Amino acid sequence: MATPSSTAFIGIGVMGEAILTSVLRTVDPQSVRVADGRIEHARERAAAFGVHAAAHNTEAVDGATVVVLAVKPKDIGAVAEEIAPALAPGAVVVSVAAGISTAFLESRLPAGTAVVRVMPNTPATIGEGVSVLSAGTHATEDHLDQISALLEGTGAVYRVDEPYQDAVTAISGSGPAYVFYLIDALAEAGVLGGLSRDLARDLAVRTVAGAGAMAQQTGEHPVVLREKVSSPAGTTVAAIRELDERGVRAAVIAAAETVRTRSIEMGREHGA
């Protein structure tokens, strides 16, 4: 007989594990089951978190009230069809697959299944992430409240209408990569200036973290904060001018727009 479960996870990669960590802050580990295409990986992670490992996906979802699908976009359609017969009545299905619409999943799940689409990001693994929810056709505000509570340990949780999820993917979903890119560039500049790599990295990391915290806590517009650092005819103004002349601002906007477009394309490629 399957172990009673309130929450099931299909896929225990970076995002699946991040959400699992959050869930376990408020949920009894014994009520959670996990499954993964790599059964040994599922067993290893289950042992690490004190949850149950299922031998296959249908076993994981049997009796679960919430099912988190944290698999790759190319696999999610097949997984949805596989677990459909085993879903408990009233179960909520949560998808973290980029570009995959709730309608795509609804067409592969039992009629009336509540589906919630989520775009998290990797800082969720340390409780400093952003997760953005969108409701499918049958998901109510109560369902969104339920999933918001499930994700609150991952960081900030927001809600948008589903058509905006591709833009969310471009900003908060992929955004950490842009920031890590900047940190690496700042650290490299420090090394070029003669600093040790360790010191240059620490300075870059703490500067980005502090600037982000300041923007969040003060609520001031980024332009205002930037001007406070930029004395007339000073060093920072010269640096900002160089960034503008090299098109850095335009490049960041273009990069985010490329992500948004790619997210839409991924959905089309998978029929979603």
Side-chain angles (χ1 to χ4, degrees), residues 229-244:
V229 187
S230 307
S231 301
T235 56
T236 305
V237 165
I240 296 298
R241 179 182 178 184
E242 187 72 15
L243 292 173
D244 284 343

Side-chain angles (χ1 to χ4, degrees), residues 8-13 32-39 41-43 46 51-61 68 70-71 83:
F9 285 79
I10 310 297
I12 305 297
V32 177
R33 284 199 303 272
V34 300
D36 191 272
R38 303 160 294 169
I39 184 61
H41 176 71
R43 289 171 178 163
V51 301
H52 297 281
H56 47 77
N57 294 339
T58 52
E59 178 187 337
V61 305
V68 179
V71 299
I83 66 171

Side-chain angles (χ1 to χ4, degrees), residues 15 69-77 94-101 105 116-120 165 169 263 266:
M15 280 299 100
L69 301 183
V71 299
K72 294 179 180 178
K74 68 181 181 65
D75 299 324
I76 199 166
V94 179
S95 167
V96 299
I100 303 301
S101 68
L105 291 173
V116 177
R117 179 176 171 179
V118 181
M119 174 47 62
Q165 279 286 7
T169 301
S263 179
M266 287 173 61

Side-chain angles (χ1 to χ4, degrees), residues 27-241:
V27 170
D28 180 2
Q30 293 300 302
S31 69
V32 177
R33 284 199 303 272
V34 300
D36 191 272
R38 303 160 294 169
I39 184 61
E40 288 306 319
H41 176 71
R43 289 171 178 163
E44 174 190 318
R45 302 321 297 151
F49 286 101
V51 301
H52 297 281
H56 47 77
N57 294 339
T58 52
E59 178 187 337
V61 305
D62 182 22
T65 56
V66 176
V67 176
V68 179
L69 301 183
V71 299
K72 294 179 180 178
K74 68 181 181 65
D75 299 324
I76 199 166
V79 170
E81 292 174 352
E82 177 189 1
I83 66 171
L87 279 180
V92 182
V93 174
V94 179
S95 167
V96 299
I100 303 301
S101 68
T102 56
F104 175 85
L105 291 173
E106 288 167 351
S107 69
R108 288 158 174 77
L109 297 170
T113 299
V115 178
V116 177
R117 179 176 171 179
V118 181
M119 174 47 62
N121 64 11
T122 53
T125 59
I126 61 168
E128 294 292 339
V130 175
S131 295
V132 184
L133 317 185
S134 296
T137 304
H138 310 292
T140 66
E141 285 298 314
D142 285 344
H143 290 128
L144 292 178
D145 289 342
Q146 178 184 7
I147 303 309
S148 293
L150 200 69
L151 295 172
E152 64 182 8
T154 64
V157 181
Y158 299 91
R159 302 178 188 184
V160 299
D161 292 336
E162 189 169 7
Y164 296 108
Q165 279 286 7
D166 298 306
V168 167
T169 301
I171 306 306
S172 59
S174 297
Y178 317 154
V179 176
F180 299 144
Y181 188 94
L182 174 61
I183 289 172
D184 180 57
L186 284 172
E188 195 63 26
V191 173
L192 184 64
L195 301 177
S196 70
R197 288 198 174 273
D198 286 345
L199 177 57
R201 175 187 174 278
D202 286 350
L203 291 176
V205 168
R206 289 183 179 277
T207 297
V208 170
M214 187 174 182
Q216 181 179 24
Q217 291 178 24
T218 65
E220 291 188 289
H221 194 284
V223 171
V224 174
L225 293 172
R226 189 189 73 203
E227 289 177 347
K228 288 182 177 180
V229 187
S230 307
S231 301
T235 56
T236 305
V237 165
I240 296 298
R241 179 182 178 184

